[in-house]
């Protein structure tokens, strides 16, 4: 069996797919314009000030652009180009910005649709053009898939180690590696990390829930009052006002949920960092598992920022991604996506209250996100150097590694995670220039 | 004793970075956004340092809502100077968000400035 899951690049969309992307981009831009939802979790907190009229549309646009640009060009675009599969950073972060930028409500969907058109038509052209270059850096970038998929498998282990110490971390690590080896031996056609990741995430959640329950019992035994959020607490009243605002727009959110779920169902979109590579290879059930486990790192973050700001996530709790991948047809995906979003929005207040009582579980989600970042950082850097080697040998490594180190020494103007893939693209362009100057002979492969 | 709470994806690293400075007047404790919001309002803590991938501190979410944006500041992707941090502290900022790949620079800077103010 092959452990290399190289992606098949090629952005060939059908008309129905193109129209879906364009229509969804129009919708997400409109929703961003109304400050009802944004994809970037970092932007959401700033929408409260905008909704309450304490800041201007242009200031909020600047925040949104500043926080998203690096992820669009550094993560979203290179990932889409190298896998041939769309991703939320490329599709939804720009519509966050464009929707917020639009001075009038009717302009937002037009700008969003225009971006959707750029994505489906422009990316295809850029993809074709890049593949025809003497130094094909897009094919080289597929080298990134193996380190991303395999290292990503370990993210629960890192989270467990950070939260529950070395002993549990060691147990989780041994368990996951054993499961990866077992999976490769017994089910060679399955993504090797699928079972391991499931076991890791379940172990982490189990540890966190049991810690919270033990703590609560101990508190009760000691007669200490649990820190409960009273209904007249300012935090609770802010939360319920936000939840009420979101519920007023429930039908719109249901349309959004339907749209995102249909996009995932079309298998032209991967929701997580590792998922695009799996989707590109047609491993839909594995992609669904990966994105499902990733959800646990994000539910508390998305729920609390939504409750605090009155703006929801464009992909909600991102549960619609894995559900979408598994749906047999777009119609069913639309219905289920709408229902999932309705359930999420209606359950927000309750989720906020439950999370208030489970500090270790919230802690786990932060550790999970931190661990996702750590695994990806190494995987993306290593994969980028492999790509550099594939396209330019030692000179490629010098250029890409050099650009990465330069970014580090300059105080990281480019987000660290995006620096290496961005360096691959710049390095690829430089190698092509060197080729034209007759200073470089492409590596044959 | 000034109590600083940490939160967000890089809270372990921020706590370590500041704890390692050996500043006796600072008490640095791992927390979370919701707990920090309650403790800051109740006066049980003085500052909150949140971290995330973008620097906006998605971890600032609840705090911006509850403390008001006047008490919050995000460095985003920028690395502030000592003067800037001083100005922000004088202006009454208590909640800071920064990017986790800049923890090694910004966390000690904030800790020293906070400690210098007593």
């Amino acid at each position: 069996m092959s452990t290399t899951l190289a992606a098949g690049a090629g952005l060939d969309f059908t008309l129905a797919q193109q129209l879906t992307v364009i229509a969804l981009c129009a919708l997400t831009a409109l929703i961003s314009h109304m400050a009802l939802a944004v994809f970037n979790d970092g932007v959401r907190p700033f929408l409260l000030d905008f909704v309450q009229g304490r800041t201007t549309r242009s200031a909020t646009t600047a925040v949104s652009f500043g926080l998203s640009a690096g992820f669009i060009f550094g993560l979203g675009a290179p990932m889409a180009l190298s896998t041939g599969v769309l991703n939320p950073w490329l599709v939804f972060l720009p519509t966050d910005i464009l929707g917020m930028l639009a001075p009038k409500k009717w302009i937002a969907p037009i700008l969003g649709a225009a971006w959707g058109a750029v994505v489906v038509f422009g990316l295809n052209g850029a993809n074709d053009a890049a593949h025809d270059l003497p130094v094909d850096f897009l094919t080289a970038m597929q080298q990134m898939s193996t380190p991303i998929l395999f290292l990503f498998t370990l993210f629960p282990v890192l989270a467990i180690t950070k939260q529950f110490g070395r002993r549990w971390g060691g147990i989780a690590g041994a368990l996951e590696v054993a499961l990866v080896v077992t999976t490769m031996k017994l089910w060679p056609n399955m993504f090797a990390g699928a079972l391991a990741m499931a076991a890791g995430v379940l172990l982490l959640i189990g540890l966190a829930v049991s810690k919270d329950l033990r703590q609560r019992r101990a508190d009760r035994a000691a007669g200490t009052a649990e820190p409960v959020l009273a209904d007249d607490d300012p935090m609770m009243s802010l939360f319920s006002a936000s939840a009420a605002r979101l519920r007023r727009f429930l039908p719109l959110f249901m349309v959004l949920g339907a749209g995102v779920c249909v996009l995932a169902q079309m298998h032209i979109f991967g929701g997580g960092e590792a998922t695009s590579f799996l989707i590109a290879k047609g491993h839909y059930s594995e992609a669904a598992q990966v994105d499902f486990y990733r959800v646990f790192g994000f539910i508390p973050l998305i729920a609390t920022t939504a409750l605090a700001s009155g703006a929801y996530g464009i992909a909600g709790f991102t549960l619609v991604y894995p559900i979408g991948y598994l749906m047999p047809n777009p119609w069913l995906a639309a219905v289920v996506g709408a229902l999932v979003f309705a359930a999420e929005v209606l359950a927000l207040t309750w989720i906020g209250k439950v999370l208030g009582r489970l500090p270790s579980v919230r802690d786990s989600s932060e550790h999970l996100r931190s661990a996702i970042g750590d695994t990806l950082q190494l995987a993306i850097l290593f994969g980028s150097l492999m790509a550099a080697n594939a396209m330019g040998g030692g000179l490629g490594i010098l250029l890409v590694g050099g650009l990465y180190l330069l970014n580090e020494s300059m105080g990281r103007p480019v987000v660290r995670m995006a620096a290496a893939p961005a360096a691959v693209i710049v390095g690829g362009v430089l190698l092509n220039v060197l080729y034209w100057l007759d200073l470089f002979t492409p590596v044959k492969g | 004793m000034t109590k600083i709470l940490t939160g967000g994806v890089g809270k372990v690293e921020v706590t370590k970075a500041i704890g390692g400075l050996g500043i006796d007047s600072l008490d640095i404790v791992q927390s979370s956004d919701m707990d920090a919001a309650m403790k800051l309002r109740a006066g049980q803590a003085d500052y909150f340092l949140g971290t995330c991938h973008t620097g906006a501190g998605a971890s600032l979410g609840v705090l911006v809502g509850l403390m008001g944006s006047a008490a919050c500041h995000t460095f985003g992707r920028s690395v502030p100077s000592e003067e800037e941090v001083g100005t922000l502290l004088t202006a009454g900022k208590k909640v800071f968000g920064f990017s986790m790949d800049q923890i090694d620079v910004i966390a000690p800077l904030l800790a020293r400035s906070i400690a210098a103010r007593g």
Side-chain angles (χ1 to χ4, degrees), chain A residues 81-158:
Chain A
L81 283 169
S82 60
T83 59
V85 172
L86 300 176
N87 58 63
W89 306 283
L90 184 72
V91 178
F92 299 139
L93 289 180
T95 61
D96 277 6
I97 301 168
L98 291 169
M100 198 38 78
L101 176 74
K104 295 260 186 299
K105 196 172 175 180
W106 59 271
I107 298 176
I110 295 175
L111 290 178
W115 177 252
V118 166
V119 166
V120 289
F121 300 116
L123 207 59
N124 207 354
N127 194 268
D128 289 346
H131 279 301
D132 289 338
L133 288 173
V135 182
D136 179 356
F137 54 86
L138 293 190
T139 305
M141 285 185 86
Q142 291 168 18
Q143 298 278 339
M144 292 178 47
S145 68
T146 308
I148 288 185
L149 285 172
F150 278 81
L151 285 176
F152 195 75
T153 301
L154 286 179
F155 82 93
V157 176
L158 301 193

